[in-house]
Amino acid sequence: MNVSEIFETMDYGPAPEGAAEALAWLVDGGDRFGHFIDGKFTSPTDGFESRNPATEEVLATLSQATPDDVDAAVAAARKAQAKWGKLPGHARAKYLYALARLVQKHARLFAVLETLDNGKPIRESRDIDIPLVQRHFYYHAGLAQLMEAELPGHEPLGVCGQIIPWNFPLLMLAWKVAPALAAGNTVVLKPAEYTSLTALRFADICREAGLPKGVVNIVTGDGAAGELIVNHSGIDKIAFTGSTEVGRKIREATAGSGKSLTLELGGKSPYIVFEDADIDSAIEGLVDAIWFNQGQVCCAGSRLLVQEGIADRFYAKLKTRMDGLRLGNPLDKCIDVGAVVDPVQLETITQLVTEGGAEGEVYQAKCAIPEQGCYYPPTLITGLSPAAKLMQEEIFGPVLVGCTFRTPAEAVQLANNTRYGLAASVWTENVNLALDIAPKLVAGVVWVNATNLFDAAAGFGGMRESGFGREGGWEGIHAYLKPARITKPLKPITAEAKPEELDVADPLDRTAKLYIGGKQARPDSGYSRPIYGARGRLLGHAGLGSRKDIRNAVEAAHKAAGWAKTTGHLRAQILYYIAENLSARSAEFTERLRSLTGVHAKTAQAEVETAIARLFTYAAWADKYDGAAHSVPIRGVALAMHEPVGVIGALCPDDAPLLGLVSVMAPAIAMGNTCVLTASEPFPLAATDFYQVLETSDVPAGVVNIITGNHAELAPTLAGHLDVDAVWSFSSSDVSAVIEKGAAGNLKRTWVNHARTRDWMTAEGEGREFLRAATEVKNIWVPYGE
């Protein structure tokens, strides 16, 4: 096509980006690469080929990591971590700044290499991926500088194992490496098998930046190499981005290991278009939402929900826009849609559409498809029911599925009709409608009249089976830190045994019941056990809760979901009222604790007084645990809102029967959650006395439910219950592994003690750590202006 023809047709002419520098770097490496361990590259070994998906040409041969390679990388990281973690924040900030500058300096090389290896259009690598990589290292240089002043009392986790996907190879590396290094950790990173080249080039700039040896280690390989990292005993944290299926396996594999874990998994994000939306803008946004990076985006707006009144017009305009998309050589700066990453992924997409597309109407863009390479045309499938396979399953390709809705309430219902909860887009010219809908969507990120907005200052992550944890922002750095305190093994606390000569404290029958849905309830099992005091007296009987009782309590907790919609002020007033009523009975509770545990009266009184103070603490926090307005580079704002997790199941501490229960319950309900509390196993009567306080304190039915019984028997039911959103355990029974493994079913959040002590009488037993565990951060991006 010559210049005059281009002017006549207004078509884009070819504008290829040169690849000579990237190819020269591969040649300089001999087209064969080893691992990057302890500051140097190892000799290449047998492994696998990395191919250009657009041409199917071999770019390089990479080494498959062995157990010895992973051992060496972990050992190097461990050796380096002690010194790296003790560096002043300013020193780490300088290294991160140097990395940011070097990525900036080599931006073109990184962009071309990413496109060659991944198949995404060069415009996306050049204008989105690489600038965001730079931004993350700059931003986290700032966090490293400020950390000592702004996050006192925290320390790094240690050695972090990081496993990243193939859709944003270098950007995912930055999302994980930058906060880990800022917090004082060292890393062992495994890039995706298909796309390892930019990670290896990043290793080069680690040396250029003078980064100490062993701080960053990179091993290449397939899933088996990732499994070696996950299971390695020398790693303190696993950070994974990838499929929900693999994330579930990692949750199971790390259960009970004590490893910290964050998972950023799959999605089936709704793209909601209301009838008053600017249709042309919404269609342009949709192009970015689903055909950006060939739809290989975990938060892709792959599920289109259009209000019925504009659906026909919207679909017609969308099909016209699809036909104008340009598919071809990703190095051509005029190309809109590049190549799918690998033939395996191409076959997966093809098979899903072939099998599931028959349920609806399939439309594929009328654009030329190159004969060679892994290309799939932009596809729209309409007329699907909400329960259709393609409406529920992640396709991870350039395929958009859609259905219609009539009312805003129905839109929310359809949007939340998924096991995922990563992102969502809302399109409307009515700001009131947008800000009404956004908080109702189960998603970690919501974009208003926009899509795929990312920044290092705004945390990104999901809910439900889209994983847990946040990457980016102040909320993300906490995933790489832990409170700096010394803990000891928590010895199991057992109930007092029956004495040889029985002494009854009260001749009247004192069988304490369970507390479910605001009512006292007998255990479904029909069984109870005697509770003996420290001096051998029979103090009463406590019910033995069972699976059915847990199910009843969870059902009651869900019925009380309206608690989340109440104001922080109202929740604060009720917490104050609980404290007031507990204070009125402080002498009674002091005596109960003394008789149960045998502690001195002053010690028992101190526990009661601390419980009252703790209720005041969380009453104070109920309307003061504020979110943030992130400073992001758009003309708008990203609102970080704290939302309740949902239903929290908790195994309360055994060593502080009253205070422990209050310390778990108060932050949960202060943040708007409902809870199912399993009382102290050896000393349950403190909890059953306490529900009498709840009954007189205006706590709505179902907000707090209390079960008594055996922790080891009740923990698996709580962990495996699909309607429980988080499980906490501070039990002296070592049930952490059971809980973490059981939580893999719906990938619920867990917070367990791994049988380590916590001082409930001090600041260890309260504060922001509890509030963070009781909330999800939802970032709502709201552009403004004309």
Side-chain angles (χ1 to χ4, degrees):
M1 181 180 290
N2 58 39
V3 173
S4 62
E5 289 173 329
I6 292 173
F7 273 109
E8 286 291 331
T9 62
M10 294 303 291
D11 279 345
Y12 285 87
E17 175 73 42
E21 187 177 354
L23 295 174
W25 178 77
L26 294 172
V27 171
D28 289 344
D31 295 328
R32 290 176 60 83
F33 293 88
H35 312 292
F36 183 69
I37 298 174
D38 202 22
K40 59 182 180 295
F41 282 98
T42 63
S43 299
T45 59
D46 293 338
F48 53 95
E49 294 175 337
S50 182
R51 293 177 176 268
N52 180 343
T55 64
E56 301 179 4
E57 296 174 349
V58 176
L59 296 171
T61 301
L62 308 180
S63 301
Q64 172 68 33
T66 66
D68 288 342
D69 294 325
V70 174
D71 285 345
V74 174
R78 179 63 62 193
K79 181 180 178 181
Q81 197 279 319
K83 186 174 181 181
W84 177 255
K86 292 178 182 177
L87 285 177
H90 173 63
R92 293 199 299 274
K94 289 193 293 184
Y95 283 113
L96 286 162
Y97 175 78
L99 290 172
R101 292 288 288 151
L102 285 166
V103 171
Q104 205 166 21
K105 177 180 178 181
H106 299 294
R108 183 181 177 192
L109 172 59
F110 273 118
V112 174
L113 192 59
E114 196 79 303
T115 289
L116 286 172
D117 205 21
N118 172 273
K120 64 176 62 185
I122 185 65
R123 289 187 299 129
E124 295 176 8
S125 299
R126 180 194 66 193
D127 300 340
I128 299 173
D129 290 28
I130 306 308
L132 274 173
V133 171
Q134 301 163 19
R135 167 69 172 149
H136 272 267
F137 281 104
Y138 277 127
Y139 180 84
H140 285 91
L143 284 189
Q145 181 75 27
L146 299 174
M147 197 171 299
E148 292 169 9
E150 297 299 318
L151 295 174
H154 289 80
E155 63 185 15
L157 294 170
V159 176
C160 300
Q162 302 180 324
I163 303 169
I164 59 176
W166 42 257
N167 55 343
F168 294 93
L170 191 62
L171 181 55
M172 291 297 100
L173 177 150
W175 278 23
K176 290 183 167 45
V177 170
L181 299 193
N185 303 279
T186 54
V187 304
V188 176
L189 179 133
K190 190 200 85 67
E193 180 183 3
Y194 298 153
T195 54
S196 300
L197 296 182
T198 47
L200 296 173
R201 183 64 184 90
F202 178 79
D204 270 348
I205 71 168
C206 287
R207 294 191 296 187
E208 291 180 46
L211 197 68
K213 295 179 179 180
V215 171
V216 170
N217 304 272
I218 298 172
V219 296
T220 55
D222 58 13
E227 190 175 355
L228 291 172
I229 292 173
V230 168
N231 293 325
H232 202 288
S233 61
I235 285 178
D236 303 295
K237 175 189 171 62
I238 297 294
F240 172 77
T241 296
S243 71
T244 294
E245 179 184 1
V246 175
R248 186 174 287 110
K249 291 178 180 178
I250 291 174
R251 170 71 286 178
E252 292 175 345
T254 58
S257 66
K259 290 184 176 76
S260 177
L261 179 64
T262 48
L263 300 173
E264 196 266 279
L265 307 176
K268 194 70 176 176
S269 300
Y271 190 97
I272 308 170
V273 183
F274 287 95
E275 60 188 4
D276 67 342
D278 180 333
I279 293 180
D280 291 331
S281 295
I283 287 174
E284 286 306 309
L286 189 53
V287 169
D288 287 336
I290 183 57
W291 294 302
F292 170 60
N293 197 23
Q294 298 70 254
Q296 299 167 135
V297 184
C298 53
C299 58
S302 57
R303 198 158 46 103
L304 173 63
L305 308 176
V306 185
Q307 197 154 15
E308 200 171 85
I310 62 167
D312 290 342
R313 187 157 57 104
F314 189 91
Y315 288 148
K317 282 177 169 283
L318 176 59
K319 290 173 183 177
T320 300
R321 182 66 180 90
M322 288 172 64
D323 291 340
L325 293 173
R326 300 175 297 276
L327 185 71
N329 176 15
L331 281 175
D332 187 340
K333 292 186 280 290
C334 295
I335 289 302
D336 296 309
V337 182
V340 172
V341 72
D342 187 83
V344 172
Q345 182 63 17
L346 179 62
E347 175 59 27
T348 299
I349 297 167
T350 303
Q351 185 174 349
L352 281 169
V353 173
T354 301
E355 293 176 355
E359 298 182 49
E361 179 185 334
V362 179
Y363 182 85
Q364 294 189 320
K366 294 179 176 63
C367 51
I369 302 176
E371 294 181 1
Q372 185 183 24
C374 301
Y375 292 95
Y376 194 88
T379 300
L380 168 66
I381 306 176
T382 55
L384 294 171
S385 71
K389 181 178 180 180
L390 294 187
M391 288 291 288
Q392 294 294 326
E393 296 300 320
E394 186 176 32
I395 301 171
F396 221 65
V399 181
L400 175 67
V401 297
C403 66
T404 61
F405 67 89
R406 293 182 179 179
T407 66
E410 185 183 7
V412 171
Q413 188 176 30
L414 289 171
N416 292 338
N417 181 31
T418 173
R419 59 194 176 102
Y420 298 110
L422 189 53
S425 294
V426 178
W427 290 79
T428 173
E429 292 297 286
N430 183 341
V431 68
N432 291 321
L433 177 61
L435 296 181
D436 174 58
I437 296 297
K440 296 176 181 177
L441 299 175
V442 181
V445 180
V446 178
W447 296 294
V448 175
N449 291 337
T451 190
N452 282 340
L453 298 177
F454 307 101
D455 187 64
F460 182 86
M463 302 176 184
R464 291 180 174 169
E465 293 189 29
S466 290
F468 46 80
R470 295 292 180 267
E471 294 183 301
W474 285 102
E475 55 261 47
I477 199 70
H478 284 285
Y480 289 93
L481 294 167
K482 63 182 179 181
R485 59 170 175 258
I486 298 173
T487 62
K488 298 177 181 179
L490 180 60
K491 297 178 181 178
I493 300 173
T494 58
E496 294 291 336
K498 181 179 179 180
E500 293 183 6
E501 294 188 16
L502 190 62
D503 180 16
V504 180
D506 189 335
L508 294 176
D509 180 24
R510 293 288 301 276
T511 303
K513 297 180 178 66
L514 313 181
Y515 186 63
I516 298 174
K519 299 177 182 179
Q520 298 182 33
R522 292 184 175 85
D524 183 73
S525 68
Y527 289 99
S528 60
R529 69 178 178 90
I531 305 298
Y532 300 101
R535 295 176 177 80
R537 304 185 77 190
L538 177 62
L539 301 179
H541 291 77
L544 289 174
S546 64
R547 295 170 60 92
K548 183 63 165 64
D549 297 310
I550 293 289
R551 291 198 296 268
N552 291 343
V554 172
E555 183 180 351
H558 270 283
K559 289 180 179 178
W563 177 249
K565 299 177 182 179
T566 59
T567 65
H569 173 72
L570 176 61
R571 295 195 295 271
Q573 295 307 301
I574 289 176
L575 282 161
Y576 281 129
Y577 197 17
I578 296 171
E580 179 185 336
N581 287 332
L582 178 59
S583 178
R585 298 175 60 179
S586 61
E588 175 189 339
F589 275 91
T590 297
E591 177 56 28
R592 174 63 92 184
L593 290 174
R594 189 193 65 78
S595 61
L596 276 171
T597 63
V599 298
H600 191 278
K602 288 186 177 180
T603 303
Q605 183 179 7
E607 180 173 341
V608 176
E609 292 300 323
T610 304
I612 295 168
R614 195 137 296 164
L615 288 163
F616 264 69
T617 294
Y618 290 112
W621 273 120
D623 56 1
K624 298 176 186 66
Y625 188 53
D626 297 327
H630 289 310
S631 179
V632 291
I634 64 167
R635 189 163 187 265
V637 64
L639 300 173
M641 299 177 62
H642 290 135
E643 294 188 346
V645 172
V647 176
I648 297 176
L651 300 169
C652 298
D654 293 325
D655 49 337
L658 176 65
L659 175 59
L661 182 141
V662 167
S663 298
V664 170
M665 177 204 75
I669 67 173
M671 295 297 103
N673 300 281
T674 57
C675 53
V676 177
L677 308 177
T678 304
S680 166
E681 184 177 339
F683 312 120
L685 298 184
T688 57
D689 287 354
F690 183 72
Y691 67 56
Q692 298 169 14
V693 174
L694 298 177
E695 288 177 317
T696 59
S697 302
D698 293 342
V699 179
V703 170
V704 179
N705 304 273
I706 298 175
I707 308 293
T708 56
N710 184 288
H711 283 190
E713 293 178 4
L714 297 174
T717 302
L718 268 179
H721 201 300
L722 296 181
D723 275 342
V724 173
D725 301 295
V727 177
W728 301 353
S729 176
F730 303 102
S731 173
S732 67
S733 300
D734 191 4
V735 293
S736 297
V738 171
I739 289 172
E740 291 183 330
K741 190 168 185 177
N746 65 344
L747 288 166
K748 61 173 63 70
R749 294 172 55 172
T750 61
W751 185 23
V752 295
N753 62 357
H754 296 290
R756 305 295 296 185
T757 58
R758 179 183 291 266
D759 188 349
W760 295 100
M761 294 293 291
T762 68
E764 284 185 21
E766 67 177 15
R768 289 181 179 267
E769 184 181 9
F770 287 80
L771 297 171
R772 284 194 297 271
T775 54
E776 299 271 18
V777 178
K778 174 185 285 184
N779 277 285
I780 301 176
W781 293 67
V782 187
Y784 51 70
E786 292 294 331

